[in-house]
Amino acid sequence: MPNSPLAPDVIVLAGGRASRMGGVDKPGLVVGGQSMLQTALVAVASLGRTVVVGPPRPELAAHIVQTREPEPGSGPVAAVAAGLAALGAEPAPRVVVLAADLPFLTGSVIGELIRHSGDFDAVFAADDSGRPQYLIGVWRTEPLAARIAELDSVINQPMKALVPLRTRIVPLPGVDDCDTPGEIAAARTALGDRGGDAAPAAPRADTAVSLDRARELLRTGLSRLPERQADLHAVRGAALAAPLTAAEALPRFDVSAMDGYAVAGDGPWELRADIGFAGGQRPDGLRPGEAVRIATGAQVPEGTTRVLRDEFARVTGHSELRRLPETPLRSDIRRRGEDRAPGDEIAPAGTAVSPALVSAAAAVEVTTATVRGPVRARIVMTGDEIRSSGPLQAGQTRDSIGPILPDLLAAHGVPVLDRVHLRDTAHGFDQVLATAADCDLLVVVGATGAGAADQLRGALARCRARLLVSRLALRPGGSTVVAELPSTTTVLGLPGNPYAAIATLLALVPAIVGGRTGAHAPRRAGGPLRNAAEISGPVARIVPARYATQPGGGWVGDPAIRTAHLGGLIDRDGLVVVPAGARDDDHVEFIALV
């Protein structure tokens, strides 16, 4: 069902004449195991209300609004106008407009367009040739409706009649449309179709993706959290949704950069009795040949030429100040605005809210900002055999990772709302997923495999979750699954094996945080793995490692690791991701232990 009211509404154009296709129902053609209309609907399943414009389609879900153009085949502008009218008097501030002939379309494409929408009236995808696709776009609803109202007629108008001045074009993969039988055939070949227009085949849900590909899917495919105004000190782990600019100059006025003497003109100087303190009253102005004692951070008096620091100065007699011979001439004054002027950018959108950011903002009188996040998590431990407290009974095992997950998540800026234990039942996950809208991330440990007690995948399918990562091409951690619920809550399903759970959590959580908040991708540490050949195999591995003491640094990884507990992480500095077929001294990624 539709999610947050802040999510864009959707208009899918599924009518038209299909003149180059011999008049067939193009959106109903099966490509890649499902109709092209269904591909479009899956791509926008996590967004707001959806309107399909075209002939009646009784197979569509009840929550999808169906409508028609004023005249069938009267063009895309007429269809957009009909779809906008079907959304009623209070549509969302933005609306996604899509054609239903895009067999390669994914939710990540839509998410990327939404991410780039910013202050633009419309943002459109561009194909590999750079050609804008005006029927793959995110529009601001108000100017779109206004432009439609200005037209004498919406019948047989080109989409360019609606395109506003403030637009953005984003080159994206997977935005090729299909207008001819040849293009349909090519798309089917590319997607591995076997049955043409026969009954749709089940989507391939068990494809394992690389760790890098999984991170890309999460950063670009997850729904963004809504923007909000917040006190910066209270949202550690959030990311700026807009650039942060200075409200005041830094410094606010000319101040001394050193303990010493504010002087006017060339010396020697007559030293006055008053003193300038940081935060105190500004000393009276200096006349040429005068000096006044001053502390670091104090506002310099009017007429000050420079500050003579203590180690360069000597007071002779009672009140004569001289500069020591052979000492350099320095200003040692921090001038107003030399670090920041009002309106200067402190940090761009996407910057994570960190102690450094909070401090830099406070220095220029900024305490609030527009942010997304932080990502709030709930932890679900699964399994009848798991016990967190009390004596163990026959067949039970201690929960050795649940208690540490909040600390690991907090280190990545993810606060944990609560931690619960779910018994092994056929439909226990259905209730957990149905009530997960109050958190942004549901971390599930266990139940991700294909065994009799592994129920997570079935529950995700039943609630129509959008699968982003079905499996990882990584050992351990291959059974990891990441999906997005209709409420937009992210589900991170981790293996029940303790080491595999922790390793994949540390590898994926930064990408999840980036996908939900828009935070910039963190820089990855890398270097030579001295014994890579001893560790690598046919599939990438993630193993504990310690810093190498030999010249040139790098890491030494553990060729073997007992994964049923975390004892192998003791006295290790982090994890290394070892590519398949790696050789000694190959460059690998290093993930620090938090």
Side-chain angles (χ1 to χ4, degrees):
M1 294 297 293
N3 68 322
S4 162
L6 295 175
D9 289 332
V10 181
I11 299 172
V12 180
L13 309 187
R17 295 191 179 94
S19 56
R20 284 185 283 179
M21 296 288 294
V24 301
D25 178 23
K26 185 167 60 168
L29 293 178
V30 174
V31 181
Q34 60 187 352
S35 71
M36 290 194 286
L37 173 57
Q38 192 60 36
T39 295
L41 294 176
V42 169
V44 298
S46 65
L47 302 183
R49 293 174 298 164
T50 298
V51 176
V52 173
V53 184
R57 300 180 187 274
E59 74 275 12
L60 296 184
H63 70 271
I64 295 177
V65 178
Q66 299 193 53
T67 190
R68 297 221 66 173
E69 311 97 309
E71 299 175 15
S74 54
V77 172
V80 172
L84 203 56
L87 288 172
E90 295 184 1
R94 293 188 184 275
V95 60
V96 174
V97 176
L98 290 177
D101 62 353
L102 304 163
F104 306 103
L105 186 68
T106 64
S108 62
V109 170
I110 305 302
E112 195 69 0
L113 286 175
I114 294 172
R115 187 171 74 86
H116 282 88
S117 56
D119 294 327
F120 295 95
D121 288 336
V123 56
F124 303 107
D127 59 21
D128 291 339
S129 68
R131 178 171 60 98
Q133 297 279 10
Y134 295 119
L135 290 180
I136 314 175
V138 180
W139 304 66
R140 284 184 58 228
T141 307
E142 184 176 346
L144 174 61
R147 182 60 186 138
I148 289 174
E150 292 171 358
L151 297 176
D152 293 333
S153 171
V154 296
I155 305 299
N156 294 326
Q157 291 273 13
M159 281 299 291
K160 285 186 177 180
L162 298 180
V163 175
L165 292 176
R166 294 196 310 147
T167 64
R168 184 172 188 174
I169 308 300
V170 181
L172 291 171
V175 296
D176 296 315
D177 55 3
C178 288
D179 285 328
T180 67
E183 290 171 347
I184 292 288
R188 285 173 173 161
T189 299
L191 292 171
D193 274 18
R194 294 292 183 268
D197 288 332
R204 296 179 61 187
D206 279 342
T207 302
V209 298
S210 69
L211 180 57
D212 282 345
R213 177 59 177 157
R215 288 163 166 165
E216 178 187 359
L217 291 169
L218 298 178
R219 292 196 62 83
T220 61
L222 289 173
S223 295
R224 291 281 194 261
L225 293 172
E227 298 179 8
R228 63 191 181 99
Q229 195 74 12
D231 290 333
L232 284 170
H233 74 274
V235 288
R236 174 75 187 277
L240 295 179
L244 190 68
T245 57
E248 292 288 351
L250 181 66
R252 297 283 297 278
F253 35 74
D254 294 353
V255 299
S256 174
M258 292 285 173
D259 289 337
Y261 303 87
V263 302
D266 297 329
W269 303 272
E270 180 183 355
L271 182 60
R272 294 188 338 207
D274 52 328
I275 300 175
F277 293 104
Q281 184 175 354
R282 183 185 189 187
D284 292 338
L286 295 175
R287 296 192 301 270
E290 280 190 331
V292 66
R293 192 85 167 91
I294 198 164
T296 302
Q299 186 174 9
V300 299
E302 186 176 352
T304 299
T305 304
R306 65 173 54 86
V307 170
L308 182 66
R309 58 178 68 182
D310 279 337
E311 57 266 37
F312 294 170
R314 181 179 62 191
V315 178
T316 61
H318 293 289
S319 60
E320 185 181 66
L321 175 70
R322 290 181 175 273
R323 182 171 66 88
L324 292 175
E326 308 302 326
T327 55
L329 283 173
R330 299 179 183 273
S331 169
D332 283 331
I333 297 174
R334 293 180 60 216
R335 299 295 181 184
R336 169 182 163 79
E338 73 173 44
D339 293 325
R340 305 285 187 191
D344 281 355
E345 184 176 287
I346 306 305
T351 302
V353 178
S354 64
L357 178 68
V358 175
S359 175
V364 290
E365 297 299 306
V366 176
T367 58
T368 64
T370 304
V371 301
R372 290 188 179 93
V375 176
R376 303 161 303 145
R378 171 172 294 121
I379 298 170
V380 179
M381 304 299 300
T382 69
D384 290 343
E385 77 282 8
I386 300 297
R387 190 175 179 89
S388 59
S389 61
L392 297 179
Q393 306 299 321
Q396 292 183 332
T397 185
R398 185 65 65 199
D399 178 8
S400 62
I401 58 174
I404 69 170
L405 287 177
D407 295 330
L408 296 177
L409 289 166
H412 288 90
V414 179
V416 173
L417 301 178
D418 54 15
R419 177 165 55 96
V420 299
H421 180 213
L422 183 66
R423 300 287 301 274
D424 292 328
T425 62
H427 296 284
F429 275 113
D430 295 286
Q431 181 65 23
V432 170
L433 300 182
T435 58
D438 62 339
C439 65
D440 309 310
L441 172 63
L442 196 65
V443 179
V444 180
V445 181
T448 61
D454 296 329
Q455 304 293 338
L456 178 58
R457 294 176 185 272
L460 289 171
R462 286 191 293 274
C463 76
R464 296 178 177 268
R466 181 167 60 93
L467 206 61
L468 287 98
V469 177
S470 178
R471 297 187 181 277
L472 279 178
L474 183 70
R475 292 181 182 173
S479 66
T480 299
V481 58
V482 189
E484 182 171 282
L485 302 180
S487 64
T488 73
T489 296
T490 305
V491 179
L492 171 60
L494 299 171
N497 177 290
Y499 174 75
I502 297 305
T504 49
L505 177 86
L506 295 177
L508 292 180
V509 161
I512 291 174
V513 171
R516 297 308 312 266
T517 67
H520 298 150
R523 288 180 288 272
R524 297 181 192 171
L529 182 63
R530 298 308 183 183
N531 61 335
E534 186 181 9
I535 299 169
S536 66
V539 176
R541 296 185 64 196
I542 183 167
V543 301
R546 53 183 171 78
Y547 292 117
T549 57
Q550 62 205 82
W555 296 277
V556 175
D558 292 341
I561 175 70
R562 298 296 295 270
T563 61
H565 54 78
L566 301 184
L569 295 181
I570 296 174
D571 195 33
R572 292 298 181 266
D573 300 301
L575 310 173
V576 287
V577 181
V578 188
R583 297 174 295 181
D584 287 351
D585 298 332
D586 276 358
H587 192 280
V588 300
E589 179 186 352
F590 176 79
I591 301 173
L593 293 175
V594 295

